[in-house]
């Protein structure tokens, strides 16, 4: 059986270094907001090419705290609108609603699965304060177009980089392509740790300082609370693991790109739509997502031949019970995507034979009524 993603296989090559990192944290006797967090923040800021990296507890908190900080700074207020793709991952949308801001859904481009820049301007109102481009499946949104629109209308651009660590536009990394960015280091992400973790990156010193206070009970100085903050600190232990994993991120992205290129060149089947790539540097292949009219049938066929696949994602945000208010609205592009997408195993396939087997199955597939 080819598993979709075997996390043990992902982390095992780094086992010795991860154990050493654990020993270091254990022996330091300092487990919260110490040198490991500081070091990782510096390393990741340097990696992204930004001035500030602030470690937080997870990716959802990273995004939530960015909007919370903009509110504390007086730049946004309850009821303001944030533009986001209708096929985004639910966490991107939760980060907006959690702040009493209103997510305004915009249909994605059917080829890139990312927010369609041509549909943004018609949705801008007096209440619009930000665009939240989600770099879905690891491919950058059209940031040139998005930043032009944002500048014209005085909007903030908050990137969701939870799936796109290291993706670049003209050699500039994501996390540095807008006003602020949220990252997740959940175990399955391209830069994944052994638990929950996240970070905010930005070049805005005021925003960085506000988020630093918010994540620690709203306090800059111990026992003095400026904001009604939260506890969303990044653990020393996760930070230590992340410093190990960060060293291998580019190498692992290289492997993802190699397998993706192989898939793109070899999978030839009129019933299967392959992902569109805008440029090599802009895609880090968090997921290799194909589309097929009879997706469930294809998934069952692959399963029968020992290949596990996953659907990212089966239900669009506007069809979720959590967002009942949208349940009757129709977003046809988004719905088509959710009905047809299927993610193939990627990082799992280190050996040529397995890739070859998977490709031959995909070539042979044909829908039979
Ligand atoms: C994973 C993910 C998040 C949330 O990250 P967590 O660390 O799980 O909270 C947000 N946005 C996107 C696009 C994601 O893939």
């Amino acid at each position: 059986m080819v598993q979709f993603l075997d996390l043990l296989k992902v982390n095992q090559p780094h086992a010795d270094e991860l154990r050493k990192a654990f020993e270091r944290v254990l022996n330091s006797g300092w487990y919260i907001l110490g040198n490991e967090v500081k070091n990782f923040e510096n390393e990741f800021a340097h990696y992204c090419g930004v001035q500030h990296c602030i470690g937080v507890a997870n990716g959802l908190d990273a995004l939530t705290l960015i909007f919370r900080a903009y509110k504390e700074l007086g730049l946004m207020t309850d009821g303001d609108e944030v533009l986001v793709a209708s096929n985004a991952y639910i966490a991107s949308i939760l980060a907006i609603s959690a702040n009493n801001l209103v997510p305004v859904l915009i249909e994605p481009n059917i080829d890139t699965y990312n927010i369609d820049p041509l549909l943004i301007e018609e949705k801008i109102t007096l209440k619009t304060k930000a665009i939240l481009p989600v770099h879905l499946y690891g491919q950058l949104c059209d940031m040139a177009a998005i930043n032009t629109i944002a500048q014209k209308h005085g909007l903030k651009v908050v990137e969701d980089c939870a799936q796109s660590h290291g993706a670049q536009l003209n050699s500039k990394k994501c996390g540095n392509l807008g006003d602020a960015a949220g990252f997740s280091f959940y175990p399955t992400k391209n830069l994944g740790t052994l638990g929950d973790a996240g970070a905010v990156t930005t070049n805005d010193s005021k925003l960085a300082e506000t988020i630093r206070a918010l994540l620690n009970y709203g306090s800059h100085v111990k026992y003095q609370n400026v904001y009604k903050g939260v506890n969303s600190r990044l653990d020393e232990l996760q930070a230590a693991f992340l410093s190990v994993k960060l060293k291998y991120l580019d190498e692992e992205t290289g492997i993802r790109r190699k397998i993706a290129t192989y898939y793109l060149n070899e999978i030839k089947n009129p019933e299967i739509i392959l992902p569109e790539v805008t440029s090599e540097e802009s895609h880090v292949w968090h997921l290799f997502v194909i589309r097929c009219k009879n997706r469930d049938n294809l998934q069952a066929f692959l399963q029968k031949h020992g290949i596990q696949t996953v659907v990212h994602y089966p239900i669009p945000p506007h069809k979720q019970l959590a967002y009942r208010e949208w349940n009757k609205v129709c977003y046809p592009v988004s719905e088509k995507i959710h009905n047809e997408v299927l993610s193939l195993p990627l990082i799992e396939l280190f050996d040529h034979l397995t890739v070859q087997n998977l490709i031959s199955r995909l070539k042979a597939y044909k829908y039979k009524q």
Side-chain angles (χ1 to χ4, degrees), residues 58-60 63 89 91-92 134 160 162-163 184 186 189 197 313:
N58 56 66
L60 172 58
L63 294 166
Y89 182 54
S92 323
V134 181
D160 183 338
Q163 303 189 356
S184 167
Y186 183 82
K189 309 290 186 184
Y313 301 92

Side-chain angles (χ1 to χ4, degrees), residues 1-2 295-309 342 357-358 361 364-368:
M1 183 73 182
V2 181
R295 188 258 323 274
D296 296 347
N297 184 275
L298 171 61
Q299 184 170 36
F301 169 87
L302 290 172
Q303 183 74 31
K304 206 177 74 196
H305 289 98
I307 297 155
Q308 190 186 32
T309 55
L342 189 66
N357 172 42
L358 201 153
R361 296 297 176 196
Y365 171 76
K366 197 165 181 339
Y367 180 64
K368 288 184 215 82

